[in-house]
Amino acid sequence: MTENKINPPRVRIAPSPTGPFHWGTARTAVFNWLFARKHGGVFVVRIEDTDRERSEKRYETSIFEGLKWLGLDWDEGSLDPETLEEKTQGSFGPYRQSERTEIYKRYLEKLLTEEKAYYCYCTKEELEGERQGMMADGLAPKYSGHCRNLSAPPVGKEPQIIRFKTPEIKIEFKDVIRGSISFDTTLFGDFPIAKNTETPLFHFAVVVDDHLMEISHVIRGEDHIPNTPKQMLIGKALGFSEPLYAHLPLVLGQSREKLSKRYLSVSLTDYKNMGYLSEAVINFTSFLGWHPKENEEILTPEEIIKRFDLKRVQKGGAIFNEEKLLWLNAQHIHRLTPEDLEKKLRSFIVARGPMSIPSETFHRLVTLEQPRMITLNDFFEATDFFFSIEN
Ligand code: GLU
């Protein structure tokens, strides 16, 4: 199956609301959105809030606000892309995993009945003892399979977790970006898929959702490659057909080090408040792992959609260069018509509080400052003097 045969594609971003809308989520969102828009497909936003303790509503809000600011309009998701209000669910929803418990339960029960999954009664202490023992013997630790074939629940013990019966096979998939990738599943052991039938774990919920939401292409970060074979095994056991996978390169710092936490904890809407344009951020983000064939640098979202090609995404890490972001921001500001720039500045003015300035003066100041501006904030720094007089 090639990507062109699926028409129209259905893609998704599946952020966990455990932090604000940061660069990592934005990059995955941009690539999925570009792919969907390029091929007339559907872009789904699914909130993966199975981790109830770490998931917070304010982070979900940050994700949707960030997407809206960037203009990454979604076709399906729990909020309305225009109003950010709770949406009546469509045929594939709900799009919050916490609201889909009954759905996962059905599939978990199916696997348990078919003996493709089982309850594990081993306690944390027993598992830790087993792990230490394997390591002492020089073995890579994995679950021993102790509860795999129990004929009856052990007396006086409570079920701790539901495990998947991992078949020992070689599993292979053809990544759209990376080509063939294979894994030996003997290394996995019987991995957990749910705490109980009401509490699925990450891998299980992802597989059920991708199937029911008819996701054709799973486009996500390279860090998810090791999850793919486990998810494929679950999908096979449930009789689902496989989506195509495309794993995007890691985003690295300037010296190819892991991107610092700072970038993964700052919300992208902070960049909005610092005077960045959404089109510059889209331009910058789309270049985190992809470049157009021609050596073009400054492109509008529409131009990027036209040129975007998932198969041309690079395999090697993408370097995050904040100076480049500033440069692109300046270029996008300089390319705006003075009228458009004025519009953008006016929304900033609202955020800065009341300020009166005759339209004509404002227009003259904008024209004067535009070629020097790197961020929208520069305008106010350069012209504060005028504003203080007018105020
Ligand atoms: N919820 C996962 C994350 O936030 C994404 C899962 C996926 O894309 O398959 O990293």
Side-chain angles (χ1 to χ4, degrees), residues 12 14-16 46 48 202 206 210 218-220 223-224 231:
R12 51 41 165 206
S16 306
R46 179 172 79 225
E48 299 208 328
F202 166 67
V206 165
D210 283 345
V218 171
I219 305 171
R220 59 185 177 185
D223 46 324
H224 285 291
Q231 296 176 359

Side-chain angles (χ1 to χ4, degrees), residues 115-167:
E115 297 188 3
K116 292 175 179 164
Y118 61 90
Y119 282 104
C120 175
Y121 296 82
C122 299
T123 61
K124 272 204 182 100
E125 296 70 33
E126 285 167 339
L127 291 174
E128 184 52 25
E130 206 176 272
R131 212 176 73 89
Q132 297 291 347
M134 285 188 180
M135 296 217 303
D137 292 342
L139 300 170
K142 67 173 184 185
Y143 180 59
S144 66
H146 180 269
C147 298
R148 192 182 234 245
N149 296 313
L150 296 178
S151 46
V155 184
K157 287 187 101 177
E158 290 293 322
Q160 302 291 325
I161 212 145
I162 300 174
R163 287 185 186 275
F164 181 73
K165 265 192 194 170
T166 306

